[in-house]
Every structure is written in structure tokens, then in C-alpha cells.
């Protein structure tokens, strides 16, 4: 049993900041890549940021310089610091993690249920 639980979303004015949290719990051997995705109404889900087990990062061009992804391996947690928020950042943000549950080290993809981020102008 593995669960990903997000928190930290909410309503913020343009130019403001939010910090998202995602913690994985359950039977976990190891976690490979972790990431954040978002989906706005009428649009496809898109990658926001990903971070590898060795903390190498990738960002969507639209958030580079504004968002920072990080992780705490001891806590099985990934974070997304969002600064200089824009109305176009409004979306449901989903946490994703590749997790192995036993000694075979076979990784499966898990998703959180999402947290709403709304940026007002």
C-alpha cells in the first residue's frame, strides 16, 4: 500500500508565493524520480518539474526561474516552491513518484489526488 498526499495549495494573488508538499507513505523500498504535474481546465496534464534520486532537476520552460523542486529522501517527501506566481499557473497540481516496494526494485508510478492552486490577478 502506497499513498501520495499533497498539501500547500490555495488561493494567492499574482506575484505571491506558495510551497507545495507531497509525502509518500506505506510499504516503500526506494523512490526513484519524483515530480510535479499540473492540469488546467480544458488543457492536458503537463510536466512542471521533476527531480531524480540524485537531485538532478528539470523544469518546464514556463516556470524556469520561478519554481524550485527539492526532495528529502529521509522523509520520502518532494516540495515545489512557487514564486512570482501568475494567473496562468492556476491549475490542479499533482505529485508523482516512481516507487519500488520490495527487494526486486521494480518501480511503479504513483500519483497523488491533486491540490488546487488558484492565482488571482
Amino acid at each position: 500500500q502506497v499513498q501520495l498526499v499533497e498539501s500547500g495549495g490555495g488561493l494567492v494573488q499574482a506575484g505571491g508565493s506558495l510551497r507545495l508538499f507531497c509525502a509518500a507513505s506505506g510499504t516503500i523500498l526506494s523512490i526513484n524520480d519524483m515530480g510535479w504535474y499540473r492540469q488546467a481546465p480544458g488543457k492536458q496534464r503537463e510536466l512542471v518539474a521533476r527531480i531524480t534520486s540524485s537531485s538532478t532537476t528539470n523544469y518546464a520552460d514556463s516556470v524556469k526561474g520561478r519554481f524550485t523542486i527539492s526532495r528529502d529522501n529521509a522523509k520520502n517527501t518532494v516540495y515545489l516552491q512557487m514564486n512570482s506566481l501568475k494567473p496562468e499557473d492556476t491549475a490542479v497540481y499533482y505529485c508523482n513518484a516512481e516507487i519500488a516496494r520490495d527487494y526486486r526494485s521494480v518501480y511503479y508510478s504513483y500519483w497523488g489526488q491533486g491540490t488546487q492552486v488558484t492565482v488571482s490577478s
Side-chain angles (χ1 to χ4, degrees):
Q1 181 180 357
V2 173
Q3 291 183 330
L4 300 180
V5 180
E6 303 105 327
S7 62
L11 175 65
V12 65
Q13 292 184 338
S17 298
L18 285 173
R19 185 170 174 84
L20 304 184
F21 304 78
C22 175
S25 62
T27 303
I28 298 172
L29 178 66
S30 62
I31 302 178
N32 196 14
D33 292 0
M34 305 184 79
W36 290 94
Y37 295 73
R38 67 187 182 188
Q39 187 166 23
K43 300 184 66 176
Q44 294 183 335
R45 186 174 300 186
E46 65 176 351
L47 172 69
V48 177
R50 288 193 70 79
I51 184 167
T52 70
S53 60
S54 59
S55 296
T56 299
T57 59
N58 286 95
Y59 297 92
D61 288 341
S62 60
V63 307
K64 287 181 179 177
R66 299 189 298 121
F67 292 8
T68 302
I69 189 171
S70 60
R71 64 191 289 169
D72 186 334
N73 292 328
K75 297 180 179 180
N76 293 332
T77 300
V78 63
Y79 310 89
L80 186 68
Q81 178 67 46
M82 304 185 292
N83 298 326
S84 301
L85 282 162
K86 305 174 181 179
E88 65 196 54
D89 295 318
T90 296
V92 177
Y93 284 70
Y94 296 91
C95 175
N96 173 256
E98 301 289 331
I99 297 174
R101 298 183 63 192
D102 59 31
Y103 70 94
R104 293 174 294 176
S105 296
V106 176
Y107 288 88
Y108 294 89
S109 182
Y110 294 85
W111 293 88
Q113 66 181 20
T115 184
Q116 177 71 47
V117 172
T118 302
V119 184
S120 65
S121 59

